[in-house]
């Protein structure tokens, strides 16, 4: 191995060349999308089983990512290692499935070895290769051409531009299927309940709000000294002001207390009716927690009251509750 002179300029030049070559490889795919792409989508949409994605080596890594993207966007898929397939794992393939096979050369021995079984099961085969004249391409019901002019590797050896192009083609398939299935943001959230997006799309105000005895509330004639005790004991930095039927009349916060002290000294016996903010921002329990966050941010407030259809207080939450829930 020979060592070349490495400079900041040479490193930047190499990095930029790689990005330029890979971007060009992906851009070239657009002109190739034709009836074969439509045919591939139709086969996958009509699949009654699973989309089984397979590939060897670097193509196998791309195949795993494509399978994961398909699964999370409404097209159930799984990855089949072609070498393991020849030693028992091919049993996961059923007649209801569709096989999506990735190989830049189209001559990967491990893939070709499982083709007889694929044909015997009459499983539709979609091939993604860089060689339309390859054995795999000719064996497929539909072939998607992912050829690149050259690899981004300076030696034109390491799979770089070719794997990027194949990954992009897989994304194109997945997104076309997503749109054709009418897959929505709510559907996406159902398969991502643990992620931040899933929480934003699934978590409701009622899931994070305080209720019952932990709910801070006082009456309009409650003096400030008692209201402060209520705020301190419930730990939400505020208290709701309600009437005899728990309908919300106002809200009083820690910030209001500081401002009240700044205006005058003797306020301890002053009733909440004179100190609270009337008509505070409220939200319903069924609303998304993300909506509560937006309402707080837009109104520059740190807490929110939750009411029912008749403006009765049923809950409360603050920014810390949303932080703990992973919404912020």
């Amino acid at each position: 191995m020979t060592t070349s002179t490495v400079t900041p300029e040479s490193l930047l030049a190499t990095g930029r060349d790689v990005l330029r070559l890979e971007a060009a490889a992906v851009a070239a795919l657009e002109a190739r999308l034709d009836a074969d792409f439509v045919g591939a989508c139709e086969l996958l949409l009509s699949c009654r089983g699973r989309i089984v994605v397979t590939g060897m080596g670097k193509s196998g890594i791309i195949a795993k990512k494509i399978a994961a993207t398909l699964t999370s966007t409404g097209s159930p898929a799984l990855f089949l290692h072609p070498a393991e397939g020849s030693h028992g794992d091919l049993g996961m393939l059923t007649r209801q499935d569709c096989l999506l096979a990735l190989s830049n050369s189209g001559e990967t021995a491990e893939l070709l070895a499982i083709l007889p079984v694929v044909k015997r099961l009459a499983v539709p085969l979609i091939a993604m290769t860089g060689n339309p004249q390859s054995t795999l391409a000719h064996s497929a019901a539909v072939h998607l051409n992912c050829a690149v002019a050259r690899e981004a590797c300076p030696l034109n050896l390491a799979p770089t531009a070719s794997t990027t192009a194949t990954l992009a083609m897989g994304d194109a398939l997945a997104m076309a299927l997503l749109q054709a299935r009418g897959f929505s943001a709510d559907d996406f959230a159902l398969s991502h309940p643990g992620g931040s997006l899933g929480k934003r799309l699934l978590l409701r105000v009622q899931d994070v709000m305080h209720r019952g005895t932990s709910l801070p509330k006082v009456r309009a004639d409650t003096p400030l000294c008692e209201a402060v005790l209520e705020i301190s004991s419930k730990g939400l930095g505020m208290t709701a002001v309600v009437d005899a039927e728990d309908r919300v009349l106002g809200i009083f916060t820690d910030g209001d207390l500081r401002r009240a002290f700044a205006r005058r000294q003797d306020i301890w016996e002053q009733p909440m009716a004179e100190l609270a903010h009337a008509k505070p921002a409220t939200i319903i329990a069924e609303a998304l927690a993300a909506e509560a966050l937006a309402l707080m941010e837009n109104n520059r407030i740190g807490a929110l009251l939750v009411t029912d259809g008749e403006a009765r207080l049923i809950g409360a939450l603050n920014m810390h509750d949303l932080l703990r829930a992973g919404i912020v």
Side-chain angles (χ1 to χ4, degrees):
M1 179 187 298
T2 59
T3 302
S4 59
T5 302
V6 177
T7 65
E9 291 75 19
S10 67
L11 294 173
L12 285 171
T14 300
R16 287 167 179 158
D17 283 344
V18 169
L19 295 178
R20 176 177 52 79
L21 287 167
E22 296 205 8
V26 172
L29 296 177
E30 184 179 358
R32 296 186 207 148
L33 295 191
D34 53 18
D36 286 332
F37 182 82
V38 175
C41 291
E42 291 174 343
L43 277 177
L44 297 177
L45 286 168
S46 64
C47 178
R48 292 182 297 163
R50 303 275 175 158
I51 301 171
V52 180
V53 192
T54 187
M56 194 71 189
K58 303 298 187 296
S59 292
I61 295 171
I62 299 301
K64 289 179 182 178
K65 194 278 179 183
I66 291 175
T69 299
L70 287 166
T71 296
S72 68
T73 54
S75 299
L78 52 86
F79 172 73
L80 168 65
H81 193 294
E84 298 295 337
S86 293
H87 297 275
D89 280 7
L90 206 56
M92 70 174 65
L93 192 64
T94 73
R95 296 180 186 276
Q96 286 73 44
D97 296 333
C98 187
L99 185 66
L100 177 59
L102 282 55
S103 169
N104 186 42
S105 67
E107 301 294 345
T108 303
E110 292 84 354
L111 282 176
L112 299 185
I114 66 175
L115 288 185
V117 177
V118 173
K119 291 182 179 180
R120 191 177 310 143
L121 292 173
V123 171
L125 172 62
I126 300 170
M128 293 171 59
T129 82
N131 182 5
Q133 304 307 317
S134 63
T135 303
L136 185 61
H138 284 303
S139 301
V142 178
H143 174 252
L144 298 177
N145 185 357
C146 298
V148 298
R150 60 162 290 133
E151 296 290 2
C153 167
L155 303 175
N156 195 28
L157 295 175
T160 45
S162 60
T163 48
T164 299
T166 304
L167 179 62
M169 185 67 83
D171 286 342
L173 277 176
M175 295 307 102
L177 297 177
L178 174 151
Q179 190 169 32
R181 296 185 195 281
F183 192 80
S184 68
D186 287 341
D187 295 323
F188 189 89
L190 288 173
S191 60
H192 297 75
S196 59
L197 178 59
K199 290 178 180 178
R200 282 179 169 270
L201 294 174
L202 291 177
L203 207 62
R204 304 282 172 177
V205 169
Q206 61 195 6
D207 298 322
V208 297
M209 73 183 190
H210 298 260
R211 63 183 81 206
T213 57
S214 66
L215 192 56
K217 60 180 180 178
V218 297
R219 301 283 284 275
D221 58 353
T222 301
L224 175 61
C225 57
E226 294 181 21
V228 169
L229 293 176
E230 179 73 357
I231 293 173
S232 298
S233 65
K234 300 302 171 62
L236 292 183
M238 62 85 186
T239 183
V241 181
V242 299
D243 65 13
E245 296 181 354
D246 271 354
R247 281 188 288 266
V248 173
L249 301 175
I251 190 171
F252 188 78
T253 69
D254 285 343
D256 294 326
L257 178 62
R258 290 191 297 272
R259 286 184 287 272
F261 274 123
R263 288 195 302 269
R264 55 187 292 185
Q265 297 296 318
D266 187 18
I267 59 173
W268 284 113
E269 297 303 320
Q270 195 169 358
M272 282 295 97
E274 298 177 9
L275 295 171
H277 280 291
K279 298 180 180 179
T282 62
I283 196 167
I284 61 173
E286 295 76 20
L288 291 172
E291 293 178 51
L293 174 61
L295 189 57
M296 287 184 189
E297 291 178 335
N298 291 338
N299 288 277
R300 297 183 179 180
I301 56 178
L304 198 56
L305 302 179
V306 186
T307 57
D308 63 13
E310 297 182 1
R312 285 191 293 260
L313 182 72
I314 60 172
L317 70 159
N318 62 17
M319 195 65 74
H320 294 294
D321 297 317
L322 298 178
L323 279 166
R324 282 192 293 269
I327 300 299
V328 180

